[in-house]
Amino acid sequence: MQTMPHDMMIRPRFDDAVREAYWGELQTFLETDVRPGFRRHYETSVEPQLRDVLHRSPDRHEIATAMLGYPANRAWYVARTTAQRQAFDASRAIVDQQADELSARARALGNGHAVLELDASLPFPRYVQAEPHNMAGGYDDSTGSHPLAAGATYDRALAVHRVAAMGPLVDDVGHSIAAMLKTAFPNFAPRRILELGCTVGHTLLPFKQAYPAAEVVGIDVSGPCLAYGAARASSLGVEVTFSERNAEHTGYADASFDLVFSRILLHETCEEAARAIFAECHRLLRPGGIMFHSDAPQFDELDAYAQSLRDWDIRCNAEPFMDGYYAMVLEDEFARAGFARDTMFRLFAPSLIVQAGYRAEETRTSGGRYFLAGARKATN
C-alpha cells in the first residue's frame, strides 16, 4: 500500500494507484532504458549521412528532423507522448475523486503555518500553455472543476512518477541547490528569499529549511497551485508565504529581497518575458543579493545530439519556448538586466539523493546534478 508523504496527498483506491504507477514507470522506462540507445544509431548511420549532405556538422534542428526518419524513434515519440498524457490523466482522475476530502483538509489547515495571498484580478499570461507537459487541466485549471485540482494533480504526478529520483516530497532539487549555494557563498545569509514560479512549493520549502531565520516567499500566476501549496506547506509545518503574482512585475518594493530564484520556470516563458524577469530580479535585489535560475542546461552546455533531444518536448509536450530559452546566452541576458559580468556564475549542484544512494538502483539517472546560472548584485 502506498505511503502518503503528507496530509494533502490522499491514498487512492488500489486500482487507481496501479494505473497511475504503471504510466509513471512506463515514462521512466522510455526515457532511461529505450531512448539512450538511439544515440548509437545516430552516430553510426544518421550523422555520417548528414555530414555527406551538409559538408559540416549538423545542428540540433537538422538532427531532430533526420532522427524522425528512424522508425524506432518515431515510435518512441508516440509512446512517450501517450505515457505522459495518460500519467497526468491518471493522477487527475484520482484528484477529482478526492475533491471533497481535499477541500475539507485544506480548510482544516487554513490557519496553519503557511500564508496564502490570492489575487483573482491577476491576468493569466497568454504565453503559458493551456496544458503544459500534457498535464490535464493545466496550471490554471480552466475547466474550473475544483480550486485545488491543478496543484493536487501536479504534486501527485511528480511525487508518484519522480519519487525514485527526487524523493517522496519531490524536494531533492531544492535541498541540493540550497546546499550548493551554501558551499559557493558560505558567508551569504539572506534575510528575505523569493522564489518565482513556485507552483506548489517543492523547491520553496527546502529553502526555508536551509535558511530558517529568513522570510521565504513563493509567487506564481496559478491560484489553484498556490492554494494547494499553502495547504501542503501547513501540513508539513513549514512557515512560508504563497502569493499570486506575476514574476515579470511582482509588485514588491525595490531592493526588498536578498535572494531571488526560479526552478524550471523560464523554459515555459517567451523570450520577452524571460528578459523582463531578469530585470525584475535585479530591481528586487538588495546590494550584494543573489539571483539564480535553475533549469535544464543551456544548449551551450550540451553537444548537438543532446540538444536535439529537446525536440520531443517542443513538438509533443507543449513546451514551445524551450528552443528560444535554452539558446539564450544567459550571461548576455544578465548583463542586459544590469548585473556585472564578474559576478555571474554557472554551477551544477550534485543531487543529495544520488550521493546518499537513496534507491540508487531505481533512479537510473546519469550525472545526478542540477544546473543553475545566476549573478550577484553589486554592493555599490
Side-chain angles (χ1 to χ4, degrees), residues 8 22 96 127 149 152 155 202 225 262 280 288 314 346 363:
M8 283 302 295
Y22 167 78
D96 286 343
Y127 53 76
D155 190 30
H202 292 142
C225 284
S262 73
E280 181 71 348
I314 297 165
R346 291 190 180 196
T363 62

Side-chain angles (χ1 to χ4, degrees), residues 6 47 52 87 90 173 193 229 247 295 324 341 365 376:
H6 56 78
E47 183 183 28
D52 287 346
V173 179
I193 297 171
D295 212 302
R341 289 185 181 271
T365 58
R376 196 160 192 173

Side-chain angles (χ1 to χ4, degrees), residues 192-193 252-258 283-286:
R192 199 165 186 232
I193 297 171
Y252 290 117
D254 291 358
S256 54
F257 289 91
D258 303 292
R283 184 187 73 80
L284 290 171
L285 283 175
R286 294 169 177 148

Side-chain angles (χ1 to χ4, degrees), residues 118-142:
L118 296 179
D119 180 3
S121 67
L122 184 73
F124 201 80
R126 288 180 295 175
Y127 53 76
V128 178
Q129 298 304 292
E131 292 195 344
H133 328 116
N134 294 314
M135 184 174 79
Y139 293 126
D140 66 333
D141 195 17
S142 57

Side-chain angles (χ1 to χ4, degrees), residues 17-305:
V18 170
R19 176 176 175 238
E20 185 181 44
Y22 167 78
W23 289 111
E25 284 298 311
L26 180 57
Q27 289 182 88
T28 301
F29 171 74
L30 291 168
E31 285 285 353
T32 62
D33 292 78
V34 177
R35 198 179 206 191
F38 295 164
R39 181 184 273 268
R40 177 169 175 80
H41 176 76
Y42 168 70
E43 293 174 345
T44 60
S45 179
V46 174
E47 183 183 28
Q49 292 176 28
L50 286 173
R51 285 183 177 274
D52 287 346
V53 172
L54 298 171
H55 305 293
R56 58 172 171 77
S57 298
D59 64 27
R60 63 183 181 275
H61 302 295
E62 293 160 341
I63 295 170
T65 299
M67 284 296 290
L68 282 174
Y70 180 38
N73 191 43
R74 286 203 308 276
W76 186 94
Y77 268 58
V78 174
R80 182 67 180 86
T81 304
T82 300
Q84 180 85 343
R85 288 175 177 163
Q86 291 290 339
F88 274 116
D89 285 350
S91 294
R92 179 56 186 259
I94 290 170
V95 166
D96 286 343
Q97 293 168 10
Q98 300 173 344
D100 292 342
E101 179 64 19
L102 281 168
S103 293
R105 293 190 181 195
R107 284 194 299 272
L109 292 163
N111 294 318
H113 295 77
V115 174
L116 176 63
E117 301 170 348
L118 296 179
D119 180 3
S121 67
L122 184 73
F124 201 80
R126 288 180 295 175
Y127 53 76
V128 178
Q129 298 304 292
E131 292 195 344
H133 328 116
N134 294 314
M135 184 174 79
Y139 293 126
D140 66 333
D141 195 17
S142 57
T143 63
S145 59
H146 189 269
L148 299 172
T153 301
Y154 185 72
D155 190 30
R156 276 206 68 87
L158 267 66
V160 173
H161 305 154
R162 304 285 182 171
V163 64
M166 294 188 180
L169 292 172
V170 200
D171 58 0
D172 179 55
V173 179
H175 289 300
S176 300
I177 291 175
M180 170 55 71
L181 205 67
K182 285 191 164 189
T183 298
F185 303 96
N187 298 318
F188 181 58
R191 293 170 292 158
R192 199 165 186 232
I193 297 171
L194 176 65
E195 181 182 3
L196 309 172
C198 67
T199 57
V200 302
H202 292 142
T203 309
L204 184 71
L205 272 57
F207 271 82
K208 178 62 177 178
Q209 294 160 332
Y211 298 101
E215 176 188 357
V216 177
V217 180
I219 68 170
D220 204 285
V221 293
S222 169
C225 284
L226 294 170
Y228 176 86
R232 177 182 178 274
S234 288
S235 77
L236 292 166
V238 184
E239 296 180 1
V240 291
T241 296
F242 289 84
S243 187
E244 191 170 5
R245 298 170 186 253
N246 189 314
E248 298 176 68
H249 309 285
T250 63
Y252 290 117
D254 291 358
S256 54
F257 289 91
D258 303 292
L259 174 62
V260 180
F261 73 94
S262 73
R263 166 65 187 166
I264 57 170
L265 165 69
L266 293 174
H267 76 258
E268 295 188 2
T269 68
C270 61
E271 293 177 50
E272 180 182 0
R275 292 187 174 107
I277 289 169
F278 296 147
E280 181 71 348
C281 290
H282 189 269
R283 184 187 73 80
L284 290 171
L285 283 175
R286 294 169 177 148
I290 292 174
M291 167 198 78
F292 77 81
H293 302 282
S294 175
D295 212 302
Q298 298 299 108
F299 284 141
D300 59 18
E301 296 278 350
L302 307 172
D303 63 43
Y305 178 78

